[in-house]
Amino acid sequence: MSVAVVIVGAGAAGVHTAVALRERGYTGSVTLVGGEPHRPYDRPPLSKAVLRGLGRPGDAVFDIDFEDLGIGLEPGRTARAVVPGERRLVTSRGDLAYETLVIATGADPVRLPGAPAHVLRTLDDAERLRAVLDARGELVIIGAGWIGAELTTAAREAGCRVTVVEAAGAPLGGALPAEVAAPMAAWYAEAGAELRTGTRVAEVETDGVRLADGTRLRADAVVVGVGARPATDWLAGSGIALGARGEVAADAHLRASVPDVYAVGDCASFPSARYGQRLLVHHWDNAMLGARAVAAHIAQGAGAPVYDPVPYFWSEQFGRVVQYAGHAAPGDTVVRRGAADGRGGRGPGTGGAGRGDGWSVCWMRGDRLTAVLAVDRPRDLAHGRRLITSGAAVEPRRVADPDVPLKAALREHAASTAGT
């Protein structure tokens, strides 16, 4: 069977690539191949709503009329290999010939040695975890990253007793410098959860975990949230170049190393001229923007712009909205806005300042912003993201003043203000 565009992966990246192709006027056949048996669904609601009892699993299903758009759905069909020289996709239900292949298989959660533990990646994972939370038992959550914080929030809201084990010295050890993330440790205690940083897990056991120092923590359930790896094992032997982290090493148009194959979302990295390095971004916004970029290149070819977004991510945890835009490097200068004392960030935080309604951290390289972290300060995030996108020069002194809107930190704005 020959299909013009075959998209492997029916998550956000794959679904939105298919929809964007139709929006771009692409009239060829489009087929979505997904390994799960469900209709395509979005993942953010799983941790942000379903686990917290704020929504039902069905609410995560995409409200898209695939039939009306002429997009074929193949749920429960697993990709096993690809033969680029023959333009052939090998699946659990036989082969599919393609003209263009889009790899959007996402990432698989990292698992730890020992007894099986819960993870949160799929709709089925969320339903199993919701049953665990409803039982209001004792949980050990491994990892205090973004997903660990959201899991802890949901578990405490459900009335579970929670111990969080984190190998790094502060929450979000893999995402933020320790001095920036340190105030977030107080959020766990405030929510009634025990956070153990600098603590490694040796093995998951049937009734808890064994730590590297031999200590055992008992639990009715163990949840692992220590990251994810690109789901690309099935590409072995295909000749498609992979990066150091196992991801498809795509080019500036998200094309793979073989003709007529693209890669998008959590399974692909891309070269960023903005940051001078290859980026692998495991966030929903990247899946959405990447899908549009792939569709544009398939539909219009060489006229499509290169893909170089400002990465963006947000999280709801412990009654706070945490947002991050950009990409900070170790050598960037950290500039704080507001007091990150562990008590800040509990309100709507519409903007300025020193009122205990949130805090932000900016990263700068010279006189340019490279990244911004905002806790209940959405205006800082919005302004900072625009400044990063534009590459405009800013005045560090004004960036550091929480009473000055970030958009007013532009060098020319500061100069004109000084002259009045």
Side-chain angles (χ1 to χ4, degrees):
M1 178 181 177
S2 180
V3 181
V5 176
V6 174
I7 302 170
V8 186
V15 166
H16 288 289
T17 299
V19 172
L21 281 168
R22 293 306 189 218
E23 291 173 346
R24 288 271 178 179
Y26 182 80
T27 57
S29 61
V30 177
T31 296
L32 267 173
V33 176
E36 295 184 54
H38 312 289
R39 283 185 64 82
Y41 61 88
D42 213 359
R43 298 190 192 279
L46 301 185
S47 61
K48 293 174 171 66
V50 174
L51 276 193
R52 297 175 63 193
L54 303 177
R56 298 168 298 175
D59 296 338
V61 174
F62 286 111
D63 185 18
I64 296 172
D65 191 333
F66 294 99
E67 184 176 358
D68 185 62
L69 290 172
I71 298 169
L73 286 183
E74 293 277 358
R77 186 171 189 170
T78 304
R80 292 180 172 167
V82 60
V83 187
E86 301 175 11
R87 298 177 189 267
R88 177 166 56 89
L89 177 71
V90 181
T91 81
S92 56
R93 295 185 195 160
D95 295 357
L96 282 174
Y98 63 83
E99 294 176 11
T100 302
L101 181 70
V102 180
I103 300 170
T105 45
D108 293 325
V110 173
R111 299 177 187 272
L112 297 181
H118 290 274
V119 294
L120 180 59
R121 189 71 183 178
T122 69
L123 193 63
D124 292 337
D125 292 336
E127 290 183 323
R128 284 189 289 264
L129 268 172
R130 186 63 236 181
V132 169
L133 301 192
D134 287 343
R136 299 185 179 181
E138 188 169 354
L139 270 64
V140 168
I141 296 175
I142 304 173
W146 300 113
I147 193 65
E150 293 184 356
L151 287 167
T152 304
T153 299
R156 288 299 300 141
E157 289 177 349
C160 299
R161 182 177 174 183
V162 181
T163 301
V164 181
V165 179
E166 168 58 49
L172 294 166
L176 299 174
E179 66 271 21
V180 172
M184 299 175 176
W187 299 354
Y188 287 80
E190 181 185 280
E194 180 184 359
L195 172 63
R196 296 190 177 199
T197 57
T199 304
R200 294 187 176 276
V201 172
E203 187 176 13
V204 178
E205 300 181 333
T206 55
D207 59 350
V209 299
R210 178 170 56 83
L211 304 181
D213 65 3
T215 302
R216 282 181 164 78
L217 300 180
R218 188 206 163 276
D220 298 308
V222 176
V223 188
V224 177
V226 294
R229 296 191 179 104
T232 56
D233 288 350
W234 64 283
L235 296 175
S238 68
I240 294 173
L242 302 182
R245 293 156 290 186
E247 83 286 4
V248 177
D251 70 5
H253 291 288
L254 296 181
R255 295 173 296 192
S257 61
V258 299
D260 301 311
V261 177
Y262 295 79
V264 61
D266 292 2
C267 65
S269 65
F270 57 91
S272 171
R274 184 191 311 278
Y275 291 104
Q277 65 183 102
R278 179 168 288 275
L279 298 183
L280 174 61
V281 181
H282 281 191
H283 297 316
W284 182 88
D285 193 64
N286 177 57
M288 290 286 293
L289 296 177
R292 295 172 192 161
V294 167
H297 199 269
I298 292 173
Q300 68 188 75
V306 299
Y307 185 65
D308 195 3
V310 174
Y312 168 72
F313 175 71
W314 69 280
S315 174
E316 290 182 324
Q317 49 186 264
F318 309 111
R320 299 164 173 86
V321 176
V322 184
Q323 297 172 285
Y324 181 88
H327 179 76
D332 293 347
T333 300
V334 175
V335 180
R336 301 179 183 275
R337 289 172 57 82
D341 58 4
R343 297 187 299 276
R346 292 306 305 269
T350 56
R355 294 190 303 271
D357 61 348
W359 49 274
S360 300
V361 175
C362 295
W363 285 261
M364 296 187 63
R365 195 171 304 163
D367 59 1
R368 265 66 173 179
L369 288 185
T370 57
V372 58
L373 169 75
V375 178
D376 282 343
R377 287 176 67 103
R379 192 173 297 169
D380 275 6
L381 190 287
H383 293 177
R385 192 178 187 185
R386 291 191 200 107
L387 290 170
I388 297 167
T389 301
S390 69
V394 294
E395 175 57 53
R397 177 181 56 82
R398 295 174 72 81
V399 171
D401 188 341
D403 291 314
V404 174
L406 272 178
K407 67 180 180 180
L410 285 167
R411 279 203 182 277
E412 53 266 36
H413 188 287
S416 64
T417 302
T420 58

